[in-house]
Amino acid sequence: MGSKERYHWQSHNVKQSGVDDMVLLSKITEEAIVENLKKRYLDDYIFTYIGSVLISVNPFKQMPYFTDREIEIYQGAAQYENPPHIYALTDNMYRNMMIDAENQCVIISGESGAGKTVAAKYIMGYISKVSGGGSKVQHVKDIILQSNPLLEAFGNAKTVRNNNSSRFGKYVEIQFSRGGEPDGGKISNFLLEKSRVVSQNESERNFHIYYQLLEGASPEQVENLGIADPTYYFYLNQSGTYKVDGTDDKKEFKETMNAMQVIGITAEIQLMVLQIIAGILHLGNISFTEVGNYAKVENEAHLAFPAFLLGINEVKLREKVTSRKMDSKWGGKTESINMTLNVEQAGYTRDALSKALYARLFDYLVDAVNKAMQKPYEEYSIGVLDIYGFEIFQKNGFEQFCINFVNEKLQQIFIELTLKAEQEEYVQEGIKWTPIQYFNNKIVCDLIENKLNPPGIMSVLDDVCATMHATGEGADSTLLQKLQAAVGGHEHFNSWNQGFIIHHYAGKVLYHPAHYNFATKQMSLLYRLSNNICKQANDLVSKLMKCTPHYIRCIKPNETKRPKDWEESRVKHQVEYLGLKENIRVRRAGFAYRRAFPKFIQRYAILTPETWPYWRGDERQGALHLLRSVNIDTDQYQMGKTKVFVKNPESLFLLEEMRERKFDKFARTIQKAWRKYIARRKYEQMREEASSILYNFKERRRNSINRNFVGDYLGIEDRPELRQFVGKRERIDFADSITKFDRRFKGIKRDLILSSKHIYLIGREKVKKGPEKGQIKEILKRKIEIQNITAVSMSTRQDDFVVLHEPEYDSLLESIFKTEFVSLLCKRTEELTHQKLQLKFSDSIQFKIKKEGWGGGGTRNLIFSRGQGEMVVIKPAGKTLNISIGDGLPKNSKPTRKGVVVQSRGFTQSPPNRAAPRPPPGQCRNGAPRFPQNNQMKQDQTYSRPVKGPRISTISSEMPSLPKQGATTKARTTTNMDANMEFMKVPDQGVAGMQRRRSVTQRPLPGVGRPKPQTHRPRCRALYQYTGQDVDEISFNVNDVIEILLEDPSGWWKGRLHGKEGLFPGNYVEKI
């Protein structure tokens, strides 16, 4: 796998493209901003910051950094730790909701085709991934995610600017419990572009659902719904466009139907939905001919299918599209009159019916989604606003006017909160500030929505609708005359003979009153609609203003919809009207974070004893005390009248990091105590379960059968250099230093980590180039998926060899804690595969080796035989490794529940129930080297230089047999040290060595006083460095002299060093 696993896609050894945060630009001009965005876009970096605002450029292709790996990287990380990403903004929003107990919202703005809808999907997908919850919560998550394909099918369409343009606005509120679990939601929809149902411009399409139905309908549906080629339908054939590049309508139809299923729409209702959709298509094929100035259905056969699908009578349908009923009052009486329509009126009536049907169907689907995830009360929420963007077409009617008005209001929110309100707050709080000028588009909003003095365009439109409801003739010219009279002198308004121009924040737009449908005699409807638009827009603004807002500014780099295509003038235009330059200037001169004194103290009170749990003094002084406690420079913050202002995000991240460390420390203390309590209760049960795996199959070590299981023998919690390779959500079950054998039976040290899903084998290599040249770095050598392990082979003797069998090639390992490792591996395999792991016991084992170069992989053999003693002797012979070892405990041995009490030298001590660690071969696991071969210290013959002949395994047994110290023994054969010289050269104080074990607090030396009488206790000298693994152990360095208090047959001795008593492994020392 290599070391790349630890690095993010943008964080290591990549080309630097511009700056991540444009606050850091050397020049603040539109040209510099565009150039920075261009550099990053062409190098596939689509996200850039302006402080907390995220700029997103549409790449028009699928990018590689939206995987689970990125979710893990950004979850819980500070903004500056990783490259800009929409996940960083979403994570910040989610955490702020939980921390401040305040509702959040994200406003995604930009013109049509800039990527707003996709951004909203990624936000909802991230929240779904990182938030917890049970089956009910998962059901809500599924509904939230499945609402996207459903509403896209019925509310999105291809336009000339965007292949998947949202033709409606939606505000999705994801509701959360106090614990941060999404347990409800609500979708508000507005401004559905109903006119698209009956007509489309050239090169555009109707809503996606029509083409999905035509492509994906089953043979039965084709027959029952009257499905034909799209050219057959008038509502589809006007634009001449039926296909969209990169869109599979058939596949998306299945996704749409599945979404309805997940949301809870029954099969019967689903059929009705499809009947209405098909019925609308058939309605559009009803055409009219003129007979005596009145409309008549041209082909009566076209009435049959829509009537059948909509469940109405053909005669009634013909009457409704060719006539209308009017009520007249005369002399207190009401009389109904049927009026026959002309051809033009009949066509408008047919289209109005189609649009009304579709709008009500869309509202029903939104309501069905809301009912499926509603909750009776609200706690926290995150709102995601996705509305179709500012757009300019060749002919712009009333719907474009409404769309652009809502976008104008959203721009106003951004200006109010990021430019205007922020600067006003500095002045109110007494912060030194030089005002920064910017364009405030409130003047355009007032032009459109003012009620009086002068009346806005909406008010004028209402007046025209109210005064001319009886006739539509001349309404266009009347509207233009009244607009000229009311707002003709406004600098953002121009009129001309066919319409009027509004100078929006995003540019000038020409509107055609002829496309306002005055001639439809639906002026009362238009009146209600204009009032409703204003109300919806203002209600939306009010809702957004109640939340803590976050911003994503989407930019469209081209109109070709092709990747890597950059239109300079288009992007510069967007940069200008979005006000990015002013945003950068305010952010650079301003403060990234501000918080009222009480809330600031409440959040960071845990940092000092004076503020925890309560600060009992002046709140301003309390906030100042906290800032000083973390040594933030005085130029990085200012104290206002009621709030503290922090200038740079890094200073805020420092506060957050210090706070996290405090909580982490307390959590670890509680966690450690709890784990120790649980471990003491369950270790006997675990030991017996593990022993049953080997029962009647394998001999046991004499002194290890009763040892306790520890699991983590590497101190992973304090080893970030090892922890980095393991996924954030993976639980670590076992970690130890083992020996892995290669094809030549050469033993190589590896750190083995067993998680809930994988086995990691980690080695160390020296960096050969770069700034870290010469340093030793941890490298992930192999990552094995547990479910890929087909079997585990072991011998019947008491050795520590384990072979992991996989489809590709096998791994030969040697671990003194093999019983614990294999038992945990069996449990995890059964959990993942629901099958028991196959265990093989044989004194003749064959395993596959990895292919190298052009040669084949082949196999190797292990032959186990009876030897002498408890030390393994291994002897390679070609492709076979001969292993011999003495007899162990019988195969039917079981662990005892309690140890034997041993009395020695006045101490009563239960022998430790864990195995003493092996003597390190060349270097101990803690990283300390052995004594140099030429040192002058007298050494036991056990540690003499290696001699020729069969070598002994670099890993000793689970519980090595210890000869009595000082006795004369035959020289043991030791490992050929030259064979492992690479690993031995690892320096003790390298990167790995510096972060090896968790430190053990040593007691201070006894105070000076009357000297104690000398005791004649035996002493020993440390041959290796050892770091204690539990609270009852002592740590020592090479050459430390330890006073021996107790020698236990288990291999654990008790001693005293620097006034502290504790246990230590006897095979790490020699008596003196």
Side-chain angles (χ1 to χ4, degrees):
M1 299 288 285
S3 60
K4 290 184 180 178
E5 279 293 312
R6 81 183 74 174
Y7 298 115
H8 184 241
W9 52 276
Q10 282 185 337
S11 63
H12 179 69
N13 197 26
V14 294
K15 177 183 176 183
Q16 182 66 33
S17 295
V19 295
D20 286 353
D21 191 334
M22 289 196 287
V23 172
L24 303 175
L25 284 172
S26 55
K27 286 185 178 180
I28 308 179
T29 62
E30 271 90 4
E31 291 77 12
I33 295 170
V34 171
E35 183 61 27
N36 188 69
L37 292 173
K38 179 180 179 181
K39 284 180 182 177
R40 296 178 63 76
Y41 172 76
L42 294 179
D43 285 333
D44 285 340
Y45 302 153
I46 64 172
F47 297 120
T48 309
Y49 289 133
I50 297 177
S52 59
V53 177
L54 182 69
I55 311 300
S56 173
V57 183
N58 191 344
F60 291 108
K61 65 178 181 179
Q62 183 62 45
M63 304 306 288
Y65 35 78
F66 294 98
T67 67
D68 289 347
R69 174 68 173 156
E70 276 66 47
I71 290 176
E72 286 188 6
I73 288 171
Y74 285 93
Q75 186 178 358
Q79 178 177 311
Y80 73 94
E81 290 183 35
N82 296 304
H85 202 292
I86 195 169
Y87 288 166
L89 178 140
T90 310
D91 189 75
N92 184 44
M93 185 165 53
Y94 179 72
R95 283 189 292 142
N96 284 354
M97 177 192 72
M98 299 302 300
I99 291 167
D100 299 326
E102 294 177 353
N103 294 338
Q104 311 285 310
C105 70
V106 55
I107 301 172
I108 310 172
S109 57
E111 62 184 49
S112 181
K116 301 181 297 298
T117 299
V118 175
K121 286 184 193 175
Y122 284 130
I123 289 171
M124 289 186 276
Y126 181 88
I127 291 173
S128 176
K129 287 279 188 180
V130 302
S131 53
S135 58
K136 181 182 178 183
V137 170
Q138 186 58 48
H139 180 60
V140 172
K141 290 181 183 180
D142 292 340
I143 293 171
I144 292 170
L145 295 179
Q146 290 299 318
S147 68
N148 285 319
L150 178 63
L151 297 185
E152 277 189 26
F154 286 85
N156 286 29
K158 179 194 183 306
T159 67
V160 292
R161 294 182 175 274
N162 185 359
N163 288 343
N164 187 34
S165 177
S166 297
R167 308 317 298 164
F168 73 107
K170 72 171 182 279
Y171 182 63
V172 181
E173 290 178 88
I174 306 173
Q175 297 169 344
F176 296 84
S177 66
R178 298 285 176 184
E181 299 169 337
D183 57 356
K186 181 182 179 183
I187 297 177
S188 304
N189 71 296
F190 40 88
L191 292 177
L192 177 69
E193 189 187 29
K194 294 179 290 185
S195 64
R196 184 164 296 271
V197 176
V198 300
S199 66
Q200 308 88 40
N201 293 327
E202 188 178 348
S203 299
E204 297 191 351
R205 294 206 312 179
N206 208 318
F207 292 103
H208 292 327
I209 184 61
Y210 289 110
Y211 308 92
Q212 292 179 10
L213 176 62
L214 267 56
E215 288 289 330
S218 66
E220 183 182 0
Q221 290 172 330
V222 168
E223 183 178 352
N224 293 338
L225 301 178
I227 302 298
D229 189 84
T231 57
Y232 171 78
Y233 302 103
F234 175 69
Y235 283 167
L236 301 183
N237 63 21
Q238 299 171 57
S239 67
T241 302
Y242 309 106
K243 299 284 186 181
V244 177
D245 292 340
T247 300
D248 186 342
D249 290 315
K250 185 174 183 179
K251 177 184 175 185
E252 292 187 358
F253 180 68
K254 291 181 180 178
E255 293 176 356
T256 301
M257 300 306 292
N258 178 65
M260 283 198 268
Q261 185 74 30
V262 171
I263 287 163
I265 298 176
T266 64
E268 183 181 1
I269 299 296
Q270 290 179 35
L271 177 60
M272 290 182 182
V273 169
L274 296 182
Q275 285 178 334
I276 293 172
I277 291 297
I280 291 172
L281 284 179
H282 289 288
L283 269 178
N285 283 357
I286 300 175
S287 58
F288 306 94
T289 186
E290 187 173 330
V291 177
N293 292 329
Y294 296 116
K296 179 184 178 183
V297 175
E298 189 172 12
N299 187 347
E300 295 280 334
H302 284 151
L303 292 169
F305 233 106
F308 165 71
L309 291 173
L310 299 176
I312 57 178
N313 183 274
E314 285 184 45
V315 176
K316 288 287 185 182
L317 178 60
R318 182 178 61 236
E319 289 178 359
K320 288 300 179 184
V321 295
T322 57
S323 64
R324 68 176 172 182
K325 184 181 290 186
M326 291 189 65
D327 293 333
S328 64
K329 291 183 178 181
W330 184 262
K333 295 182 179 180
T334 301
E335 185 178 0
S336 295
I337 304 173
N338 282 324
M339 293 184 59
T340 305
L341 305 176
N342 60 33
V343 171
E344 184 182 16
Q345 292 170 334
Y348 287 139
T349 302
R350 174 203 62 197
D351 292 346
L353 174 60
S354 299
K355 289 189 288 186
L357 280 171
Y358 195 87
R360 293 190 182 191
L361 174 61
F362 189 80
D363 288 340
Y364 168 80
L365 293 174
V366 173
D367 190 51
V369 173
N370 287 336
K371 286 180 178 177
M373 59 181 181
Q374 68 181 353
K375 59 184 289 190
Y377 53 90
E378 292 187 12
E379 292 171 287
Y380 301 145
S381 70
I382 291 178
V384 182
L385 178 64
D386 176 23
I387 185 172
Y388 39 31
F390 189 91
E391 57 188 22
I392 305 174
F393 293 114
Q394 187 175 1
K395 294 182 179 179
N396 302 286
F398 183 67
E399 285 170 326
Q400 274 69 47
F401 176 74
C402 295
I403 291 167
N404 293 341
F405 167 60
V406 174
N407 276 273
E408 199 80 53
K409 294 288 285 185
L410 294 180
Q411 176 70 1
Q412 176 63 20
I413 292 178
F414 182 80
I415 289 171
E416 282 284 341
L417 297 180
T418 62
L419 300 177
K420 182 173 181 288
E422 184 169 339
Q423 296 193 74
E424 290 176 351
E425 185 178 38
Y426 295 148
V427 175
Q428 293 168 3
E429 288 287 328
I431 303 297
K432 295 178 183 178
W433 183 255
T434 303
I436 292 172
Q437 300 301 315
Y438 59 92
F439 168 67
N440 191 340
N441 74 325
K442 187 176 186 299
I443 188 172
V444 183
C445 294
D446 292 342
L447 167 67
I448 297 172
E449 65 177 342
N450 254 11
K451 296 294 183 184
L452 297 169
N453 299 323
I457 294 173
M458 284 287 193
S459 295
V460 174
L461 179 60
D462 292 346
D463 181 54
V464 172
C465 291
T467 56
M468 301 192 68
H469 65 274
T471 175
E473 287 76 9
D476 299 348
S477 58
T478 302
L479 175 64
L480 292 176
Q481 290 171 9
K482 290 197 172 188
L483 285 176
Q484 183 63 33
V487 296
H490 199 287
E491 59 181 327
H492 290 272
F493 178 87
N494 299 121
S495 63
W496 65 306
N497 58 353
Q498 294 184 26
F500 59 91
I501 296 172
I502 297 179
H503 296 248
H504 287 285
Y505 77 100
K508 295 191 297 184
V509 181
L510 171 62
Y511 295 102
H512 297 74
H515 289 267
Y516 279 37
N517 289 337
F518 288 116
T520 65
K521 300 187 184 296
Q522 301 288 330
M523 298 188 70
S524 60
L525 178 63
L526 190 63
Y527 173 76
R528 292 197 303 272
L529 186 59
S530 63
N531 277 288
N532 190 39
I533 294 302
C534 284
K535 183 178 183 303
Q536 281 188 331
N538 288 312
D539 287 348
L540 174 63
V541 169
S542 299
K543 187 177 290 188
L544 295 173
M545 296 292 276
K546 293 177 183 177
C547 305
T548 302
H550 304 261
Y551 306 95
I552 300 176
R553 312 288 266 172
C554 295
I555 290 179
K556 187 178 183 181
N558 61 63
E559 281 292 350
T560 62
K561 308 183 188 75
R562 293 200 305 261
K564 297 293 181 85
D565 188 5
W566 184 266
E567 296 179 20
E568 193 92 7
S569 58
R570 176 171 298 281
V571 176
K572 185 178 179 182
H573 174 64
Q574 293 172 77
V575 167
E576 288 173 351
Y577 75 65
L578 290 173
L580 300 189
K581 183 178 75 172
E582 293 78 10
N583 191 200
I584 293 172
R585 291 179 63 198
V586 170
R587 177 55 60 206
R588 178 180 280 191
F591 296 83
Y593 173 83
R594 75 285 320 273
R595 184 66 76 200
F597 295 143
K599 283 197 170 184
F600 184 81
I601 294 173
Q602 179 185 1
R603 173 117 186 103
Y604 300 110
I606 197 171
L607 296 182
T608 68
E610 293 82 4
T611 53
W612 181 262
Y614 302 107
W615 172 258
R616 303 190 182 279
D618 177 65
E619 290 176 337
R620 189 175 191 276
Q621 292 301 315
L624 193 59
H625 171 75
L626 286 168
L627 290 166
R628 288 172 176 169
S629 71
V630 294
N631 298 320
I632 294 181
D633 294 338
T634 54
D635 62 348
Q636 291 299 307
Y637 64 87
Q638 284 195 43
M639 307 299 289
K641 296 176 182 178
T642 63
K643 295 180 179 179
V644 56
F645 293 80
V646 179
K647 189 167 186 62
N648 291 322
E650 289 79 1
S651 302
L652 175 64
F653 298 148
L654 173 63
L655 285 164
E656 286 295 317
E657 188 173 344
M658 298 290 285
R659 180 178 180 272
E660 288 294 326
R661 285 182 183 177
K662 284 284 187 181
F663 277 112
D664 185 66
K665 180 182 176 182
F666 297 151
R668 285 175 184 270
T669 301
I670 297 169
Q671 193 178 55
K672 186 175 180 180
W674 173 251
R675 284 178 175 173
K676 194 169 184 178
Y677 168 71
I678 293 297
R680 283 177 175 172
R681 290 182 55 192
K682 293 190 175 181
Y683 84 88
E684 285 185 353
Q685 179 184 350
M686 290 172 59
R687 189 179 61 195
E688 289 183 4
E689 288 177 357
S691 180
S692 64
I693 293 175
L694 308 183
Y695 187 70
N696 281 335
F697 294 109
K698 187 173 179 66
E699 295 176 357
R700 302 302 306 278
R701 292 285 187 183
R702 183 164 285 103
N703 292 311
S704 69
I705 194 169
N706 289 317
R707 78 168 186 86
N708 191 9
F709 287 175
V710 177
D712 181 8
Y713 299 93
L714 296 177
I716 291 293
E717 286 187 0
D718 297 318
R719 302 284 298 279
E721 73 275 15
L722 297 179
R723 190 67 179 82
Q724 65 178 318
F725 299 110
V726 183
K728 278 189 177 181
R729 298 182 180 274
E730 288 189 61
R731 182 180 69 254
I732 294 177
D733 294 325
F734 178 83
D736 187 35
S737 183
I738 57 99
T739 294
K740 180 187 178 297
F741 290 87
D742 62 14
R743 62 176 56 234
R744 298 176 185 85
F745 303 117
K746 174 184 174 182
I748 305 169
K749 291 285 283 185
R750 293 284 183 262
D751 286 333
L752 181 145
I753 298 176
L754 171 65
S755 74
S756 53
K757 296 180 181 178
H758 301 93
I759 294 174
Y760 299 87
L761 293 175
I762 302 165
R764 289 163 184 79
E765 289 181 2
K766 184 180 289 187
V767 180
K768 296 181 179 178
K769 57 183 178 180
E772 297 180 335
K773 182 179 180 181
Q775 294 187 23
I776 304 299
K777 288 287 186 179
E778 284 69 19
I779 303 294
L780 182 60
K781 291 295 186 180
R782 195 171 184 200
K783 181 179 177 181
I784 304 171
E785 290 192 23
I786 292 177
Q787 58 192 21
N788 288 344
I789 298 175
T790 57
V792 173
S793 291
M794 291 177 283
S795 76
T796 63
R797 302 192 174 274
Q798 62 168 331
D799 60 274
D800 301 318
F801 287 89
V802 176
V803 177
L804 304 180
H805 296 282
E806 297 179 75
E808 189 177 356
Y809 63 94
D810 305 330
S811 299
L812 173 58
L813 312 175
E814 191 179 15
S815 170
I816 63 171
F817 303 125
K818 64 180 182 304
T819 306
E820 183 175 356
F821 168 64
V822 172
S823 66
L824 289 168
L825 180 59
C826 288
K827 284 184 180 180
R828 297 297 160 248
T829 302
E830 191 168 353
E831 288 175 2
L832 292 171
T833 65
H834 306 292
Q835 295 178 353
K836 290 188 178 296
L837 179 62
Q838 184 181 6
L839 299 180
K840 301 178 181 179
F841 297 90
S842 174
D843 290 339
S844 177
I845 300 173
Q846 185 179 79
F847 63 96
K848 295 177 293 184
I849 59 173
K850 184 180 180 181
K851 292 183 179 180
E852 287 189 356
W854 296 100
T859 59
R860 295 292 184 268
N861 299 297
L862 302 178
I863 302 297
F864 296 85
S865 60
R866 182 178 184 182
Q868 292 185 354
E870 298 195 2
M871 297 297 289
V872 177
V873 177
I874 60 178
K875 185 176 181 181
K879 295 184 178 182
T880 300
L881 182 65
N882 296 297
I883 304 166
S884 62
I885 190 171
D887 294 335
L889 294 176
K891 297 176 183 178
N892 60 357
S893 300
K894 280 279 190 178
T896 57
R897 290 199 171 268
K898 292 184 179 179
V900 181
V901 176
V902 179
Q903 286 192 338
S904 176
R905 304 183 184 277
F907 291 90
T908 301
Q909 176 82 24
S910 296
N913 50 19
R914 57 187 179 277
R918 62 192 177 278
Q923 167 180 331
C924 84
R925 282 181 357 218
N926 300 286
R930 291 188 56 178
F931 287 118
Q933 294 297 326
N934 60 351
N935 76 56
Q936 301 300 313
M937 185 184 301
K938 180 183 176 183
Q939 298 190 33
D940 193 299
Q941 203 171 359
T942 302
Y943 302 101
S944 62
R945 290 183 63 82
V947 297
K948 293 183 178 180
R951 62 188 178 91
I952 293 179
S953 166
T954 57
I955 299 291
S956 69
S957 55
E958 278 188 333
M959 189 67 185
S961 177
L962 298 174
K964 295 180 179 179
Q965 297 293 332
T968 303
T969 60
K970 293 182 179 180
R972 278 187 241 155
T973 311
T974 56
T975 305
N976 184 349
M977 303 185 80
D978 293 332
N980 235 345
M981 193 60 68
E982 191 77 22
F983 187 77
M984 290 176 62
K985 292 181 180 178
V986 178
D988 185 34
Q989 293 301 320
V991 174
M994 292 169 61
Q995 300 177 348
R996 270 300 198 225
R997 303 286 188 187
R998 50 180 174 266
S999 60
V1000 179
T1001 305
Q1002 296 183 341
R1003 295 181 184 176
L1005 292 170
V1008 178
R1010 183 177 178 181
K1012 295 183 178 180
Q1014 293 291 328
T1015 57
H1016 299 285
R1017 294 190 182 279
R1019 295 185 301 164
C1020 59
R1021 192 186 308 276
L1023 298 174
Y1024 309 95
Q1025 180 192 39
Y1026 180 73
T1027 302
Q1029 300 298 295
D1030 210 336
V1031 292
D1032 59 351
E1033 299 177 22
I1034 60 173
S1035 302
F1036 49 78
N1037 292 315
V1038 177
N1039 290 339
D1040 280 352
V1041 177
I1042 306 166
E1043 185 179 0
I1044 300 173
L1045 303 179
L1046 171 68
E1047 298 178 43
D1048 193 271
S1050 67
W1052 285 103
W1053 293 4
K1054 185 173 183 180
R1056 182 186 293 120
L1057 177 66
H1058 302 316
K1060 181 176 180 179
E1061 296 182 4
L1063 302 173
F1064 63 93
N1067 52 4
Y1068 273 58
V1069 300
E1070 68 169 358
K1071 278 189 173 180
I1072 54 176

